[in-house]
Amino acid sequence: MPASTLTRRSLTDRYQSEFPNSRKLFDQARQVFPSGVTHDIRYLEPFPVYVERAQGAHKWDVDGHELIDYFSGHGSLLLGHCHPAVVEAVQKQAGRATHPGACHESEIEWGQLVQRLIPSAERVRFTSSGTEATLMALRLVRIFTGKPKVLKFAGHFHGWHDFVVPACDPPYDGAAIPGVLPGVQTETVILPPNDPALVEQTLASDPQIGCIILEPTGGHFGAVPIRGDF
Ligand SMILES: Cc1ncc(COP(=O)(O)O)c(C=O)c1O
């Protein structure tokens, strides 16, 4: 048996014996969620770790391990877990109104903070997810330009709606994506990243392309770096 197989096996055995309560929860989760997880990125072999609580840069799992959290809430936890100022603000608001279902002053303050962070944002629209944001942005492009096509780059991730899901993951061979209508898939033009000359050439040769979408940071950033002039 090759040494690498032995090593992988002994690591897996150690993992299974150190995290028995996570295993039990995963067995339950598999009866509820596809692949047992609520986000694809949490899918781990042989099972993921289940977290009980977190504080600052650390998480504690259901088997009593203290773990350093390199995940940082998918990038959202600039202040770490349960920062006292955040906890206090959330508690204060939860006692005042949890979902007003109406306009309120805090939404204006929140929108203004977004504008301060992104000065080019003349107006702000809140969405429930990044998938929804890119879906709406592409619809807006079609209305504004009257052009149906979007140009995207192989390996760049923009959520999981039909127009951006092609060429998210390798192989980038343009094969049909199950459930995505062929007529929709042909409206998405795929190029390899990091080739500005090819982008110019493609835009010049296809007048039906209304916009370019790219991932300067996000889901696949780091794995698919953007280089130089690009
Ligand atoms: C660049 C980028 N766009 C869109 C999305 C999709 O966001 P969501 O998972 O909220 O739908 C992501 C998520 O990782 C992303 O990194």
Side-chain angles (χ1 to χ4, degrees), residues 138-147:
L138 294 185
R139 188 180 295 171
L140 208 56
V141 164
R142 280 183 227 109
I143 295 167
F144 185 74
T145 65
K147 298 178 177 188

Side-chain angles (χ1 to χ4, degrees), residues 129-131 157-159 215 217-219:
S129 67
T131 295
F157 182 67
H158 305 288
E215 186 194 319
T217 176

Side-chain angles (χ1 to χ4, degrees), residues 39 128-132 134 157-160 214-220:
H39 192 300
S128 305
S129 67
T131 295
E132 198 185 329
T134 57
F157 182 67
H158 305 288
W160 52 353
L214 84 162
E215 186 194 319
T217 176
H220 289 178

